[in-house]
Amino acid sequence: VKAGEKIALVGPTGAGKTTIMQLITRFYDPLEGSVLFDNVDIRDIPRETMRSQMAFVLQDPFLFEASVYDNIRYGRLDATDEEIIEAAKKANAHDFIMKLDNDYNTVLNADGAEISQGQKQLLSIARALVADPVILLLDEATSSIDTVTELKIQEALEVLMEGRTSFVIAHRLNTVRNADLVFVMQKGELVEAGPQQELIEKKGIYASMLQAGLEE
């Protein structure tokens, strides 16, 4: 994977997509082979150093019992209030934050009961923007989210991924269409890989998945 490329990981549940993410982030170390960043084995890089270059946007974002400011600031603890507001605007989160009782000073519960699932996702994207990472790891599923919010999330993700190396567990066709490379996983194996158009012309597993809409 070259710097700045967008990689889509596709395949059914249990295929190994999340495991690939966990190998990249060293939640697991490989039993065979290696993962290299700039030709350096990541086992030779301190975890803290490596993860400081990464940001995550997960399917089920985690919130802290803290203000909106602090929930976004978790991406980079020295971020100023101005930087947080700018990140929120880029993430399409500013408008809904301003409608909360105390806008950015509103204290959220850990379960985020005061806001919707889609709004939680927008906050997690703002948190990633504040972190300003080199590498992004995204599980961009937007299940149980209304269409308007889903469009806001997709727009915010495009802003977030611009100029960064991104690994996306893809559930939606619009994510795959913008990918530089598609990796197709099945039963723990990489079964197809390449530019999307090349895989379509191959008329193999990926082409069949596209026809089925990629849903798991």
Side-chain angles (χ1 to χ4, degrees), residues 57-199:
V57 178
L58 305 176
Q59 184 174 353
D60 189 15
F62 184 81
L63 297 179
F64 299 91
E65 190 162 339
S67 69
V68 173
Y69 271 129
D70 288 342
N71 265 283
I72 297 175
R73 186 176 279 117
Y74 184 72
R76 180 165 55 84
L77 297 180
D78 62 353
T80 65
D81 288 355
E82 291 74 20
E83 288 174 322
I84 288 168
I85 292 169
E86 182 61 27
K89 287 179 178 178
K90 289 181 179 178
N92 285 335
H94 179 73
D95 288 348
F96 91 78
I97 293 171
M98 294 306 294
K99 293 176 183 176
L100 298 174
D101 289 343
N102 293 302
D103 54 76
Y104 284 84
N105 291 302
T106 302
V107 175
L108 302 175
N109 293 326
D111 61 4
E114 309 91 333
I115 60 176
S116 70
Q117 182 69 14
Q119 289 168 336
K120 290 182 196 177
Q121 194 68 284
L122 294 175
L123 288 182
S124 73
I125 294 170
R127 184 186 289 168
L129 281 163
V130 161
D132 193 21
V134 175
I135 296 171
L136 282 168
L137 300 116
L138 313 176
D139 185 342
E140 53 79 61
T142 50
S143 57
S144 303
I145 291 173
D146 64 89
T147 305
V148 173
T149 306
E150 182 179 346
L151 288 173
K152 289 182 179 179
I153 291 171
Q154 292 295 346
E155 288 174 2
L157 287 173
E158 288 302 319
V159 172
L160 178 59
M161 288 186 279
E162 187 173 349
R164 296 183 170 97
T165 307
S166 304
F167 295 86
V168 184
I169 294 178
H171 301 258
R172 304 295 176 109
L173 291 173
N174 51 4
T175 300
V176 177
R177 287 193 185 102
N178 296 327
D180 296 296
L181 293 173
V182 177
F183 292 169
V184 184
M185 305 291 298
Q186 278 194 350
K187 297 180 180 179
E189 300 287 340
L190 181 64
V191 292
E192 286 184 349
Q196 182 180 203
Q197 191 57 40
E198 185 179 297
L199 296 185

Side-chain angles (χ1 to χ4, degrees), residues 7-58:
I7 310 303
L9 299 169
V10 304
T13 300
K17 304 184 297 296
T18 300
T19 301
I20 293 288
M21 296 285 207
Q22 290 170 330
L23 286 167
I24 292 170
T25 52
R26 281 200 74 196
F27 286 101
Y28 298 133
D29 279 333
L31 299 177
E32 297 179 18
S34 56
V35 179
L36 306 179
F37 287 166
D38 292 333
N39 294 318
V40 176
D41 192 312
I42 61 173
R43 288 170 288 197
D44 296 330
I45 304 172
R47 278 188 174 89
E48 185 176 345
T49 300
M50 186 185 65
R51 289 180 186 165
S52 70
Q53 304 298 310
M54 299 177 174
F56 306 82
V57 178
L58 305 176

